[in-house]
Amino acid sequence: MIDHPLLFAADALATLVFATTGALVASRKELDVFGFMWFAAITGVGGGTLRDLLLDVPVFWIENPFPLALCLGIAVVLHFTAHLVQSRMVLILWLDCFGLGFAAIAGTLKALDQGVAGLVAVIMGVFSGTVGGILRDTLGQEPSIILRREIYVTAAALGASATVLIAAAGESRLAAAATGFALVFALRGAALLRNLTLPGFRSRKGRDYP
Amino acid sequence: MIDHPLLFAADALATLVFATTGALVASRKELDVFGFMWFAAITGVGGGTLRDLLLDVPVFWIENPFPLALCLGIAVVLHFTAHLVQSRMVLILWLDCFGLGFAAIAGTLKALDQGVAGLVAVIMGVFSGTVGGILRDTLGQEPSIILRREIYVTAAALGASATVLIAAAGESRLAAAATGFALVFALRGAALLRNLTLPGFRSRKGRDYP
Amino acid sequence: MIDHPLLFAADALATLVFATTGALVASRKELDVFGFMWFAAITGVGGGTLRDLLLDVPVFWIENPFPLALCLGIAVVLHFTAHLVQSRMVLILWLDCFGLGFAAIAGTLKALDQGVAGLVAVIMGVFSGTVGGILRDTLGQEPSIILRREIYVTAAALGASATVLIAAAGESRLAAAATGFALVFALRGAALLRNLTLPGFRSRKGRDYP
């Protein structure tokens, strides 16, 4: 799927960013270098792994372990330099915003290539972009991104939906992907800049039916 | 497997009930509508998804996304009406009792259709009925059904075992399924009505061997 | 893969030990006998299950449910005798040390048999040895082995790496496996005896770049 050098670089960057957010959890728990590798790997490749298992295609890092090697490599580097990175959380958040968009749209396209229904392709996009982070938070016993009302899953879902709709309308893959990516990036970026959230469910008393 | 209209309706109802219990976790966390969808989907289709992955058959909602669409639809509805539903927990518990029985027995039959050993079919029934709820509780960071001593896993396991034994004895699928379902429903229902539990392990001091 | 009676016995012992650590979580939570079975099963077969799903080979306990039956059997026994076992934690830790080594190296060899890259085989070995325990701790809502700085994942990773390197150097499977197992056992055993840990990441203030 990824044969253009620019796409290859973007894919590697998205993996590195996710792996970095995983390694930073390991740094907060003050783990050893193998703990850094563990968290970097599950965060970096976890979402795509679930997508491939569900689609019943070969798991991407088993076919070609390069993304896995990237995760392990950045984990070793960060074991010695995490304190430098921690002081740059704003940069990390913006890189993660890029990673979310790239992973979600790439996952959507991979699912469409398998001929699944549009709704399923959207779900695969959402999983590709968010499951790594959810595994990271669950295994790291930190508050999960899925339990915050930030626009995160939302951005992935809307961007993936745009990609599916535009592709279904007969536009080129490139147009569909670019629009979807731009939408994820814009929504998540707006949330970062302005602290935007969707309205949450507000607990109310039920009406007193008898 | 499901071609009779009544079975189709029962399957849809079981999915809706599980999805509802997922959406109610999202409501307690005061999440946005995409958070409702997430929890409704993993609770509604999580157990059957693991069953299909383990059996190496196509994941049911990827072949036909109707159950997934049901989960997402009820999530949107509940985002606006959860306060009405929360005040009806007793009804929910009984519907969940029905959903547990239906999912456990349908999962057992699907596994038997793959020609697995009886013990494996029972496990698949238990997974189909309970894994959605366990994912819901783990990702929602709530006390897990698996850590309570309620009769829940127990009911699924005994009902699935009954189905396997009756089918092995040469009785019809329908008789096996109906008996298994009745057993799950009766056990879980008795637990709801009477607060029944099995005896739990009680911590004692070990004997003082040297 | 396992046709020698001694290997068969070692495999059964490794499964029993993992299942025992799972049942002990159930005993600390004072669960009923089905709760014991649940935790024994996910701990005993969880790691190998994920390995088989990722490698896209039939899940081992679905092909032959004997290891699953072992887990369920020991769970029933421990539901009545856990207090005797709890007072022997040192013995359990050493048996677990054996189980870790056996599972990690057996998982590595199974992955190599599928022709995957060496790095992937190492990861499969680590997963086989540790994922059961991580599922146990996550679902049991206990502090996870992955969040402690004990030498555990580390031992599995280094032993699996040794096995891959020795096999790649053209030595026999037996030599590769024996060396890898000895390394896991020695590292984990040294950690048990001496409370060894690798240096963890220490939080420091980032340098004040502008």
Side-chain angles (χ1 to χ4, degrees), chain A residues 121-136:
Chain A
V122 172
I123 298 287
M124 292 301 152
V126 172
F127 277 2
S128 301
T130 63
V131 164
I134 290 168
L135 283 173
R136 174 196 65 207

Side-chain angles (χ1 to χ4, degrees), chain A residues 39-158:
Chain A
F39 275 100
I42 58 161
T43 315
V45 304
T49 302
L50 180 60
R51 174 201 62 208
D52 289 349
L53 286 177
L54 292 172
L55 290 175
D56 201 15
V57 299
V59 174
F60 67 104
W61 54 269
I62 291 182
E63 286 211 304
N64 174 2
F66 177 71
L68 186 63
L70 274 183
C71 294
L72 301 179
I74 192 79
V76 174
V77 172
L78 285 171
H79 186 248
F80 297 102
T81 60
H83 58 292
L84 300 177
V85 177
Q86 284 170 338
S87 60
R88 277 163 187 72
M89 273 315 290
V90 175
L91 176 61
I92 299 284
L93 283 173
W94 281 99
L95 286 171
D96 183 69
C97 176
F98 162 82
L100 177 69
F102 187 86
I105 303 306
T108 305
L109 292 180
K110 186 166 186 179
L112 285 177
D113 284 340
Q114 301 297 317
V116 300
L119 179 61
V120 173
V122 172
I123 298 287
M124 292 301 152
V126 172
F127 277 2
S128 301
T130 63
V131 164
I134 290 168
L135 283 173
R136 174 196 65 207
D137 297 338
T138 303
L139 296 180
Q141 303 181 343
E142 300 210 323
S144 173
I145 48 170
I146 200 67
L147 294 178
R148 293 198 294 260
R149 215 157 60 230
E150 282 181 43
I151 293 181
Y152 198 91
V153 173
T154 305
L158 293 178

Side-chain angles (χ1 to χ4, degrees), chain B residues 123-188:
Chain B
I123 298 287
M124 292 302 152
V126 172
F127 278 1
S128 302
T130 64
V131 164
I134 291 168
L135 283 173
R136 173 196 66 206
D137 297 338
T138 303
L139 296 180
Q141 303 181 343
E142 299 210 325
S144 175
I145 48 170
I146 200 67
L147 294 179
R148 293 199 293 261
R149 215 158 60 230
E150 282 181 43
I151 293 181
Y152 198 90
V153 173
T154 304
L158 292 178
S161 301
T163 297
V164 167
L165 290 175
I166 293 169
E171 299 292 327
S172 74
R173 276 291 154 91
L174 186 61
T179 312
F181 174 82
L183 189 55
V184 181
F185 195 85
L187 286 169
R188 176 73 187 138

Side-chain angles (χ1 to χ4, degrees), chain B residues 6-193:
Chain B
L6 205 64
L7 272 181
F8 181 84
D11 191 33
L13 179 58
T15 302
L16 280 175
V17 172
F18 282 169
T20 297
T21 68
L24 289 180
V25 168
S27 80
R28 285 195 288 279
K29 307 288 177 183
E30 310 204 333
L31 299 182
D32 64 28
V33 67
F34 286 93
F36 272 66
M37 288 191 201
W38 175 275
F39 275 101
I42 58 161
T43 314
V45 302
T49 303
L50 179 60
R51 174 201 63 209
D52 290 349
L53 285 178
L54 292 172
L55 290 175
D56 200 16
V57 298
V59 174
F60 67 104
W61 53 268
I62 292 183
E63 286 210 304
N64 174 2
F66 177 71
L68 187 63
L70 274 183
C71 294
L72 301 179
I74 193 78
V76 174
V77 171
L78 285 170
H79 185 248
F80 297 103
T81 60
H83 58 293
L84 300 178
V85 176
Q86 285 169 337
S87 60
R88 278 161 186 73
M89 273 316 289
V90 175
L91 176 63
I92 299 284
L93 284 172
W94 281 99
L95 286 171
D96 183 69
C97 176
F98 163 83
L100 176 69
F102 186 86
I105 303 307
T108 305
L109 292 180
K110 186 166 185 180
L112 285 177
D113 284 340
Q114 301 298 316
V116 300
L119 180 61
V120 173
V122 172
I123 298 287
M124 292 302 152
V126 172
F127 278 1
S128 302
T130 64
V131 164
I134 291 168
L135 283 173
R136 173 196 66 206
D137 297 338
T138 303
L139 296 180
Q141 303 181 343
E142 299 210 325
S144 175
I145 48 170
I146 200 67
L147 294 179
R148 293 199 293 261
R149 215 158 60 230
E150 282 181 43
I151 293 181
Y152 198 90
V153 173
T154 304
L158 292 178
S161 301
T163 297
V164 167
L165 290 175
I166 293 169
E171 299 292 327
S172 74
R173 276 291 154 91
L174 186 61
T179 312
F181 174 82
L183 189 55
V184 181
F185 195 85
L187 286 169
R188 176 73 187 138
L192 287 178
L193 282 179

Side-chain angles (χ1 to χ4, degrees), chain C residues 7-59:
Chain C
L7 271 183
F8 181 83
D11 192 33
L13 179 58
T15 302
L16 280 175
V17 172
F18 282 168
T20 298
T21 68
L24 289 181
V25 168
S27 78
R28 286 195 288 278
K29 306 288 176 183
E30 311 204 331
L31 299 183
D32 64 29
V33 67
F34 286 92
F36 273 66
M37 288 191 201
W38 176 276
F39 275 101
I42 59 162
T43 315
V45 304
T49 303
L50 179 61
R51 175 201 63 208
D52 290 349
L53 285 178
L54 292 172
L55 290 175
D56 201 15
V57 298
V59 175

Side-chain angles (χ1 to χ4, degrees), chain A residues 27 29-32 34 36 38-39 49 53 59 61-62 65 68-69 72 79-80 82-83 88 138-141, chain C residues 53-54 116-117 119-120 123-124 127 130 134 138 142 144 146-147 149 154 157-158 198-201 203-204 206 209:
Chain A
S27 80
K29 306 287 176 183
E30 310 203 333
L31 299 182
D32 63 28
F34 285 93
F36 273 66
W38 175 275
F39 275 100
T49 302
L53 286 177
V59 174
W61 54 269
I62 291 182
L68 186 63
L72 301 179
H79 186 248
F80 297 102
H83 58 292
R88 277 163 187 72
T138 303
L139 296 180
Q141 303 181 343
Chain C
L53 285 178
L54 292 172
V116 301
L119 179 61
V120 173
I123 298 287
M124 292 301 151
F127 277 2
T130 62
I134 291 168
T138 303
E142 298 211 326
S144 173
I146 200 67
L147 294 178
R149 214 156 62 230
T154 306
L158 293 178
L198 287 193
F201 177 78
S203 282
R204 282 162 283 190
Y209 288 96

